[in-house]
Amino acid sequence: QVYDSDCCDSVLLELREYLPKYFGVWSPPTAPNDTYLKLEDVTRKFNKPCIMDVKIGQKSYDPYASAEKIQQQVSKYPLMEEIGFLVLGMRVYHVSSDSYETQNQHYGRSLTKETVKDGISKFFHNGYCLRKDAIAASIQKIEKILEWFEGQKQLNFYASSLLFVYEGSCQATTVQLSDVTLAEKRGVPKGLLSGGDILEYNNNIHVINSTENGKIEASVSKGLSKFYALHKKAYSKRHHSQLSLKVETLEKDSVWKSSGCITQEHLNGNVIPQLEKVFCHMPAEIKENASVEVRMIDFAHVFPSNTKDEGYIYGLKNLITVLQNILDN
């Protein structure tokens, strides 16, 4: 209905924004009577996608469920009614080890009211730091979905999920390290870049041609000066890949060299994970919005209604509260 070419219902048309795109139906040659929805791969644009599936709502059984089905669903996660959501699984990319950590539904069902905040924060921690930019962007996306639910009274969703995806890696791995400058941007006008360099957006950082061979300039915030001062001894003991990190300040759409910039640091091992560590520690307020997707999935149990979907709304609000608490702390 939502993707029907004749659809003119404004509620359903807006719902398109929050679902994976629909590409019709498909049947496998070996089982022509089995019909599947063909849906967009929401992770397709990400290099190292971090993925979490969260079931939303106070009830995971529909209005026509048998007593046996209701008991079965409630026993799986008795806290569903009180919390309003359930983590069904996650996969998180850790930049330090270049590997994924996965958690299944047993992990989600083990979470209590006291541990659910820490349980969800694990999804946004990449082994170095908490990705507050991804949390903030996720909250904004959920709030848009909440607005849709607050404004419609024709559909109720049961046992449906939100799919969260964010970029776990800075994608500078696709460019040659000896010939790039990594520059953090906060609405920097093109004219301020020397030599008319063209910015190419690459997930929270901009890759521009470098005029200095063999050096990487990371244009980051003043706050990093302290971070580097604390770590300077540790890094200076390890030689290997020589990386010139010049700390620059970004303020009010202008860029200039900081007089107190760090001359040189010797970073050990893989340059990219170290750079990702640097960008992680940038204050969230100067970061570009993280590349994040939040989509509604698994909506096989949707029923017509003449009231707001209070169970789903309750779950969304609770989830926003938990994410906001993680962000604030």
Side-chain angles (χ1 to χ4, degrees):
Q1 281 181 290
V2 173
Y3 280 92
D4 192 301
S5 56
D6 296 329
C7 178
C8 55
D9 183 330
S10 61
V11 170
L12 296 185
L13 289 172
E14 188 189 340
L15 183 57
R16 288 183 183 180
E17 295 177 37
Y18 313 121
L19 306 182
K21 288 189 179 66
Y22 171 66
F23 295 105
V25 295
W26 175 82
S27 297
T30 52
N33 294 327
D34 293 348
T35 307
Y36 295 84
L37 298 180
K38 193 155 67 169
L39 299 176
E40 168 192 16
D41 174 9
V42 179
T43 70
R44 75 198 184 287
K45 68 179 183 181
F46 296 89
N47 184 30
K48 298 288 185 183
C50 296
I51 306 165
M52 178 169 66
D53 183 335
V54 182
K55 187 183 284 190
I56 304 290
Q58 290 177 285
K59 296 176 181 175
S60 54
Y61 52 88
D62 65 55
Y64 302 101
S66 65
E68 185 184 4
K69 178 70 172 177
I70 291 171
Q71 181 55 39
Q72 179 201 35
Q73 288 298 315
V74 170
S75 63
K76 282 184 179 179
Y77 194 58
L79 280 175
M80 192 78 179
E81 189 160 359
E82 194 173 346
I83 294 177
F85 62 84
L86 165 64
V87 176
L88 288 177
M90 65 175 72
R91 189 178 80 157
V92 189
Y93 178 69
H94 283 185
V95 293
S96 49
S97 58
D98 188 26
S99 63
Y100 281 96
E101 178 187 354
T102 60
Q103 302 290 349
N104 63 19
Q105 59 181 309
H106 299 295
Y107 169 80
R109 295 187 199 283
S110 72
L111 298 176
T112 65
K113 282 187 295 181
E114 292 72 33
T115 61
V116 70
K117 180 179 139 188
D118 291 337
I120 287 182
S121 67
K122 185 188 280 279
F123 173 63
F124 294 100
H125 203 289
N126 66 4
Y128 277 135
C129 62
L130 188 66
R131 285 287 304 275
K132 289 196 168 188
D133 56 331
I135 298 171
S138 296
I139 290 171
Q140 288 180 345
K141 299 270 187 179
I142 301 169
E143 284 174 340
K144 292 294 291 178
I145 293 171
L146 176 59
E147 279 179 30
W148 182 84
F149 271 94
E150 292 278 22
Q152 68 89 23
K153 292 183 177 180
Q154 63 192 63
L155 296 173
N156 280 8
F157 289 68
Y158 298 91
S160 182
S161 290
L162 289 184
L163 183 74
F164 291 78
V165 189
Y166 73 87
E167 180 56 68
S169 167
C170 83
Q171 295 171 334
T173 45
T174 58
V175 298
Q176 289 187 345
L177 286 176
S178 60
D179 194 36
V180 298
T181 293
L182 298 178
E184 221 294 327
K185 180 209 175 199
R186 188 190 188 188
V188 183
K190 281 186 182 177
L192 289 172
L193 295 168
S194 60
D197 289 319
I198 297 171
L199 286 171
E200 176 193 340
Y201 187 65
N202 228 341
N203 190 55
N204 300 337
I205 61 173
H206 289 259
V207 179
I208 59 178
N209 294 327
S210 174
T211 51
E212 298 179 276
N213 247 343
K215 288 186 179 180
I216 298 176
E217 292 182 358
S219 181
V220 295
S221 77
K222 278 189 284 192
L224 279 176
S225 301
K226 232 176 237 182
F227 169 71
Y228 268 100
L230 291 172
H231 290 73
K232 191 171 183 180
K233 283 184 183 175
Y235 283 138
S236 61
K237 285 177 185 173
R238 310 167 184 167
H239 63 288
H240 297 317
S241 47
Q242 297 206 346
L243 181 64
S244 174
L245 289 172
K246 295 184 182 175
V247 177
E248 299 176 356
T249 56
L250 300 171
E251 206 165 301
K252 294 180 182 175
D253 288 347
S254 59
V255 181
W256 65 93
K257 296 273 193 291
S258 167
S259 57
C261 55
I262 290 151
T263 53
Q264 183 147 351
E265 293 290 346
H266 302 284
L267 300 185
N268 183 38
N270 190 335
V271 174
I272 288 301
Q274 296 294 349
L275 281 174
E276 291 182 301
K277 185 172 181 178
V278 170
F279 279 91
C280 272
H281 281 80
M282 278 187 287
E285 65 269 18
I286 72 156
K287 280 190 176 182
E288 196 75 23
N289 278 343
S291 178
V292 172
E293 288 285 357
V294 178
R295 305 285 188 95
M296 295 166 61
I297 61 167
D298 294 345
F299 32 84
H301 302 279
V302 179
F303 290 81
S305 172
N306 53 12
T307 60
K308 286 185 183 180
D309 190 341
E310 297 294 353
Y312 203 109
I313 289 171
Y314 176 87
L316 290 178
K317 286 182 175 178
N318 243 13
L319 182 55
I320 289 170
T321 300
V322 170
L323 290 172
Q324 194 63 56
N325 284 341
I326 296 170
L327 202 56
D328 294 342
N329 294 342

